Amino acid sequence: MNVRRDFLRQVAATALVTPAVSTLSPINWAADPSRLIIDAHQHLWDLEKQKLPWLAGAPDILKHTYHLPEYREATQGLNIKAIYMEVAVDASQLNEEAEQVIRLSRDASTQTIGAVIGSRPESPNFGDYISKFKSVPEVKGARRVLHENETPAGLCLQSEFVNSVRKLGEIGRSFDLCMRPKELSDGAKLAELCPETRFIVDHCGNADPKSFRTIPRDDEKPSHSAEEWKLGIEKLAKRSNVICKISGVMASLPKGGDASDLAPIVNFCLDTFGPDRVVFGSDWPVCLLGGPLKTWVNMLAQIISSRPDADQQKLWSGNAIRHYGLNA
């Protein structure tokens, strides 16, 4: 069974699948160009054309086709541009997915301005695959999800995988780390072995908000300890070629939860990586497991409201523009 499916089932049982409306005031940033948001984690999928094996056991809210019109509706009122994030299609569709999002990123009428494509770095054919995109500026990096049940621990430290990730650095592309919290130290080791490659830790290291409850509930079983996760994040932050994506935690929002449930995770990542090494991501539409995209934006805005305006701007857009080399 797929760990992603297990995770989504668990989230569906505890998250706000029919979320309450956020009590925070809507943020109208669309009229203020200085309030640009770069969403570094936008998912789009078409279930009539794409094979997404991990959706088999997912909650019904995700078993729909999500196109740009739905994203545009979800972000209405926000001045937002997005980096497409690969959706773990079947390996046979990697090339097709990449070509599709390249075309999308070149269309000036869309909100999508770049892409992180799917990959299999453990494959001996990785070099041939990734070299096709060496001169494609819309491709910003690659990802291989590492928290699936059939993915063995330590895969990212195998020699073939390490050599492939080094190739990404050679062509100026980054690698997204989407890992089990217990294996974040493997990500740190990979970053050490590939010093010329830039890394992005997805979803705050897949932290579980339930791990941070002062008084745990009997019906909630965190997937890891808070201290275990913190240690992994600290190891990653010590590597200067690693940044952290503030994303994903909305999907794990406990039932009845609010911004205070996410604040310990967000603040630890912001404090550990510092204001220059963090970027924002919506994780839409997976974020719908906890609430609408704009609810997540409002919660994050509340969490960081006491931080300097300059640091907030870096998180929302400045760091992503620099990291991805965007003309935004």
Side-chain angles (χ1 to χ4, degrees):
M1 174 155 315
N2 191 303
V3 160
R4 189 189 292 247
R5 286 199 289 267
D6 292 343
F7 166 76
L8 292 174
R9 287 196 186 104
Q10 180 182 6
V11 167
T14 60
L16 300 175
V17 176
T18 305
V21 177
S22 172
T23 57
L24 298 174
S25 299
I27 301 172
N28 184 14
W29 288 341
D32 183 357
S34 68
R35 293 293 188 178
L36 171 68
I37 298 176
I38 300 295
D39 176 2
H41 210 97
Q42 172 208 55
H43 292 305
L44 302 167
W45 58 68
D46 187 335
L47 298 188
E48 292 185 2
K49 298 179 180 179
Q50 293 176 305
K51 301 175 184 177
L52 277 63
W54 61 272
L55 271 183
D60 289 344
I61 196 171
L62 298 183
K63 293 180 178 178
H64 300 278
T65 290
Y66 287 97
H67 283 152
L68 278 173
E70 289 83 8
Y71 182 78
R72 189 174 296 112
E73 181 179 357
T75 57
Q76 186 176 8
L78 299 176
N79 180 18
I80 193 165
K81 300 292 184 181
I83 300 293
Y84 171 88
M85 174 55 64
E86 64 95 20
V87 294
V89 297
D90 185 85
S92 64
Q93 294 187 319
L94 287 174
N95 280 287
E96 182 181 349
E97 180 193 27
E99 295 298 334
Q100 176 188 351
V101 296
I102 289 169
R103 290 193 297 271
L104 188 68
S105 301
R106 290 173 176 171
D107 185 345
S109 68
T110 74
Q111 292 166 290
T112 307
I113 57 176
V116 173
I117 61 173
S119 67
R120 298 294 185 273
E122 70 273 27
S123 168
N125 298 322
F126 177 85
D128 293 335
Y129 168 73
I130 204 64
S131 65
K132 292 184 294 185
F133 308 105
K134 180 179 180 179
S135 301
V136 181
E138 292 80 11
V139 173
K140 306 301 181 181
R143 182 174 81 154
R144 201 284 197 216
V145 172
L146 293 168
H147 60 61
E148 295 177 331
N149 216 16
E150 59 268 27
T151 304
L155 173 66
C156 70
L157 296 180
Q158 294 180 6
S159 59
E160 191 77 60
F161 200 109
V162 172
N163 289 334
S164 293
V165 174
R166 284 173 177 161
K167 288 185 175 71
L168 284 170
E170 292 171 4
I171 64 171
R173 301 300 189 273
S174 59
F175 185 74
D176 273 61
L177 291 165
C178 195
M179 313 181 71
R180 293 174 280 246
K182 295 181 179 180
E183 294 160 20
L184 293 177
S185 58
D186 286 353
K189 182 63 176 178
L190 178 63
E192 181 183 0
L193 293 171
C194 307
E196 303 305 317
T197 303
R198 293 171 292 117
F199 292 83
I200 307 96
V201 182
D202 288 350
H203 305 334
C204 297
N206 285 311
D208 184 349
K210 297 187 296 296
S211 299
F212 296 83
R213 284 196 184 279
T214 304
I215 303 177
R217 287 171 41 170
D218 292 338
D219 61 337
E220 293 181 345
K221 295 182 179 180
S223 61
H224 59 86
S225 72
E227 291 306 314
E228 181 178 43
W229 170 81
K230 286 181 178 180
L231 181 61
I233 290 294
E234 288 172 341
K235 288 182 178 180
L236 285 161
K238 289 179 180 178
R239 308 308 311 173
S240 61
N241 55 331
V242 180
I243 69 172
C244 184
K245 192 180 298 178
I246 307 301
S247 64
V249 290
M250 185 67 184
S252 302
L253 185 71
K255 185 176 181 180
D258 56 27
S260 65
D261 290 286
L262 307 182
I265 297 169
V266 171
N267 283 324
F268 187 83
C269 288
L270 295 179
D271 292 339
T272 306
F273 277 89
D276 296 315
R277 296 167 59 200
V278 288
V279 296
F280 165 76
S282 72
D283 195 27
W284 185 88
V286 181
C287 68
L288 295 175
L289 294 171
L293 186 156
K294 286 195 285 189
T295 298
W296 162 228
V297 169
N298 281 359
M299 286 186 177
L300 181 56
Q302 182 183 36
I303 293 169
I304 67 174
S305 60
S306 63
R307 294 178 181 267
D309 287 346
D311 291 353
Q312 294 185 44
Q313 187 274 335
K314 289 177 182 179
L315 171 61
W316 290 119
S317 61
N319 290 339
I321 290 172
R322 175 170 50 84
H323 174 80
Y324 293 108
L326 301 175
N327 182 18

